[in-house]
Amino acid sequence: MVAIRKKPLKLIWLEALMRRLLKDDVEFHYYQEQYRRLDAGFAGEQKVDRVWHELIYPNTFFVLHNLCLMNSAQHLHQIDTLFICPHFMLVVEIKNIHGRLEFDQHTHQCIRTKVDGTVEGFPNALTQTERHRGFLKNLIASYSLPVEGAVVIANPSTIIVNSTSTLPIFHASGLHKYLQSLFKKHPKKLMTDNHLTQLVNALLSKQMIPQIHTSISPSRFRHGVLCPKCTYQNNMYFHRGIWKCSFCHYRSIEIFAEAMLDYRLLISHSITNKQLRAFFRINSSDAATRLLRKFQFPYTGTYKNRVYHLPENLLEHMKNFF
């Protein structure tokens, strides 16, 4: 079974931030670079994911993506992909970095040289993979399943040099061949399908959701419902249950769900009538009340002091009422 990779929460948060953060904000370019890197990383992971769907293996296997587990020191292990079969477990660290990559085994650093000669340092993916391997070996010690590791480069134009580590590093096109070599290395089935499923369920039960702790003042955000047809550059106004763009005349009811998600991600998991009117530029208190009631958000408090709580699955929740 190959799981579907979900977009990381941090990337969803950065997407909302790029829509809302004022362009002249002192930290705009800092967050823009964070978004660029994380978006490129996610795109690279999706490229490698296609390889798993082409895998032909007669026995039960599982491919888990973005597995986030906590160790005894309360530190997170965020594993890009974990392949699990009855023979072995494979930790895969995916990098979508272009240029010339050199992995220094003494400094434990990855050095990237761009085409223009610019040199940058990155955390060493080999060290990260070894860290995940050691953690998993201890975690599943009772299962006696070997834990292998590899670093996979998603960008086919990347040049890999100095890869003399005990861990392999190769392009995504070499993943199938490496898996074949692991099956030859570990020919014996060590687990039944039931035990394998139990192991996977045990790992998934320990899954952690990484939290975003950054707090940015709402005064630094663009308020209102932003028009997607104008690449979020212009505001839409609310009239008789429909959001309309004065610039391109785009009309939508559903766009409010995306705007509310921005609010939940960037500002608060709850909202009042007054806060809704202030942030989304709705003049009428009655119109705001009708809008909040329409989506049947859970709430606390009396009528005048009512606080509406925005659920974690906000987009799916709101879609039911459009």
Side-chain angles (χ1 to χ4, degrees), residues 60-77:
T60 301
F61 69 92
F62 294 87
V63 179
L64 308 180
H65 301 304
N66 295 331
L67 188 63
C68 186
L69 305 174
M70 185 174 289
N71 62 26
S72 57
Q74 303 301 296
H75 296 150
L76 291 179
H77 287 261

Side-chain angles (χ1 to χ4, degrees), residues 79-285:
I79 301 169
D80 290 341
T81 296
L82 185 63
F83 174 83
I84 310 173
C85 71
H87 303 256
F88 59 87
M89 181 182 288
L90 173 63
V91 180
V92 178
E93 184 76 15
I94 302 168
K95 295 298 177 186
N96 190 22
I97 307 174
H98 64 86
R100 182 178 182 271
L101 297 185
E102 183 175 356
F103 295 87
D104 193 315
Q105 302 305 307
H106 300 291
T107 63
H108 301 283
Q109 187 179 39
C110 171
I111 301 168
R112 187 263 291 272
T113 305
K114 294 183 178 179
V115 176
D116 63 4
T118 304
V119 178
E120 293 179 302
F122 290 85
N124 194 322
L126 295 168
T127 305
Q128 291 175 318
T129 309
E130 285 286 18
R131 175 175 174 265
H132 297 328
R133 280 186 72 202
F135 165 69
L136 286 170
K137 282 180 181 179
N138 290 329
L139 189 65
I140 67 161
S142 61
Y143 289 91
S144 301
L145 198 65
V147 181
E148 301 283 355
V151 176
V152 176
I153 304 300
N155 193 318
S157 67
T158 301
I159 299 172
I160 305 168
V161 297
N162 222 26
S163 57
T164 56
S165 166
T166 53
L167 281 183
I169 175 168
F170 49 81
H171 284 281
S173 58
L175 183 55
H176 277 175
K177 185 174 181 180
Y178 181 63
L179 281 169
Q180 290 171 6
S181 72
L182 290 180
F183 283 118
K184 290 180 181 178
K185 181 180 177 181
H186 305 289
K188 185 179 178 181
K189 284 185 66 173
L190 302 174
M191 304 178 72
T192 64
D193 287 353
N194 285 338
H195 284 148
L196 189 69
T197 302
Q198 288 174 13
L199 171 59
V200 170
N201 289 335
L203 290 171
L204 292 175
S205 70
K206 298 178 184 294
Q207 172 85 310
M208 304 291 294
I209 299 176
Q211 298 300 309
I212 299 170
H213 299 291
T214 305
S215 179
I216 303 175
S217 170
S219 63
R220 295 164 64 183
F221 297 137
R222 299 169 60 215
H223 290 195
V225 172
L226 306 178
C227 178
K229 296 296 182 181
C230 297
T231 61
Y232 302 101
Q233 298 305 305
N234 297 300
N235 282 86
M236 305 179 77
Y237 66 93
F238 188 62
H239 181 67
R240 294 185 178 179
I242 299 176
W243 296 91
K244 304 176 182 179
C245 177
S246 300
F247 185 82
C248 74
H249 309 296
Y250 174 68
R251 299 154 59 96
S252 175
I253 299 174
E254 294 85 355
I255 191 59
F256 183 57
E258 182 181 80
M260 282 291 279
L261 179 61
D262 286 356
Y263 185 92
R264 188 185 190 278
L265 288 168
L266 301 175
I267 299 176
S268 175
H269 292 183
S270 63
I271 193 168
T272 65
N273 183 297
K274 183 178 180 180
Q275 290 168 336
L276 182 81
R277 285 183 282 126
F279 190 84
F280 294 107
R281 300 177 176 177
I282 298 174
N283 296 324
S284 168
S285 177

